[in-house]
Amino acid sequence: MADTEKGSAARIGRRTAAGEARAIRVLLVDDHQVVRRGLRTFLEVQDDIEVVGEASDGAEGIAAAEQLRPDVVLMDVKMPGMDGIEALRKLRELANPARVLVVTSFTEQRTVVPALRAGAAGYVYKDIDPEALAGAIRSVHAGHVLLQPEVAEALLAQDEGNSGQGRGTSLTDREREVLGLIADGRSNREIARALVLSEKTVKTHVSNILMKLDLADRTQAALWAVRHGIGA
């Protein structure tokens, strides 16, 4: 059974004392109250991160994400009721703009790969150093794809035999440049600066890349690029 909190499905977090508009709004979704408490305690001392709420399973997480509109969701995978992977799929269907960073103790391919395919912007383990976790939150919020090496290898391994190499021939030279920078972990803003383009133009290139390669998001685009020798 999940450790739930009395009074509501998702507990709304307090504002930081400074109330800075630039603070990264974070929602915690994990069925263990002690884990949520530990994450909140650490994150609330970060000047640029604000914990806006908590949820104890996927369904509560979706409701909280729709209500609170966080920038980043820290999502566990294995939870009772609706698990993290199904919640990721639902958030995508709702076109919720939150970036989801999966934080879990599970390392098997059968858990890693579905989470990434469902739309996770990154995947880290619960034993991650606290400062590294804060850095991961900042990274995915900035638009980066954050994968530990073995996670990327797991996804690439599952793509063996169905790489879609031929689709890459439809990319323009500029789109290949953008794809290479996505593979390097650059955000749209950083790509725009590197190529002296507007962010709007970069977003158009990214959309075209995803359409031509028949990919769902920039995480898959980054992995496709690495697999085919573009960028990182």
Side-chain angles (χ1 to χ4, degrees):
M1 292 292 291
D3 292 320
T4 57
E5 303 204 9
K6 295 181 180 180
S8 65
R11 180 159 63 88
I12 298 176
R14 63 173 176 81
R15 293 283 181 181
T16 57
E20 296 179 355
R22 294 176 61 85
I24 302 170
R25 294 166 54 80
V26 174
L27 171 67
L28 309 177
V29 184
D30 193 293
D31 61 313
H32 292 99
Q33 184 179 8
V34 66
V35 172
R36 300 198 307 273
R37 182 176 299 159
L39 289 170
R40 176 182 283 273
T41 297
F42 169 71
L43 294 176
E44 285 188 334
V45 302
Q46 304 299 310
D47 292 337
D48 60 339
I49 296 175
E50 175 188 3
V51 178
V52 296
E54 301 178 16
S56 62
D57 63 27
E60 292 179 3
I62 291 168
E66 287 294 282
Q67 176 191 357
L68 301 172
R69 310 303 282 184
D71 299 309
V72 176
V73 178
L74 298 190
M75 181 85 74
D76 192 10
V77 173
K78 297 294 185 181
M79 295 181 287
M82 181 184 291
D83 64 17
I85 294 171
E86 183 59 31
L88 274 160
R89 295 189 182 113
K90 186 64 175 177
L91 285 174
R92 175 181 284 176
E93 290 173 6
L94 294 171
N96 190 288
R99 302 271 288 169
V100 179
L101 178 62
V102 171
V103 184
T104 184
S105 56
F106 292 88
T107 61
E108 300 94 336
Q109 281 194 31
R110 66 176 183 272
T111 300
V112 173
V113 175
L116 295 175
R117 296 209 180 285
Y123 197 110
V124 296
Y125 303 133
K126 285 185 177 178
D127 61 357
I128 187 174
D129 178 84
E131 291 295 339
L133 177 60
I137 291 171
R138 297 181 185 110
S139 181
V140 298
H141 177 252
H144 297 296
V145 174
L146 184 68
L147 300 177
Q148 296 181 350
E150 65 271 25
V151 173
E153 290 171 6
L155 191 55
L156 290 174
Q158 191 168 89
D159 283 340
E160 283 291 344
N162 187 30
S163 63
Q165 172 69 60
R167 295 194 297 268
T169 60
S170 66
L171 297 177
T172 65
D173 289 342
R174 178 63 86 186
E175 287 165 353
R176 291 179 71 86
E177 284 184 292
V178 172
L179 181 57
L181 292 171
I182 290 174
D184 289 337
R186 306 286 190 91
S187 65
N188 284 351
R189 178 174 297 180
E190 291 169 334
I191 294 172
R193 289 174 180 170
L195 299 180
V196 194
L197 300 171
S198 69
E199 284 191 61
K200 183 176 180 180
T201 298
V202 172
K203 288 179 181 179
T204 299
H205 284 313
V206 172
S207 295
N208 290 339
I209 290 166
L210 297 180
M211 178 184 66
K212 289 180 178 181
L213 298 180
D214 192 25
L215 300 173
D217 52 41
R218 63 193 298 133
T219 302
Q220 292 184 18
L223 291 167
W224 189 98
V226 171
R227 181 176 180 79
H228 297 295
I230 300 175

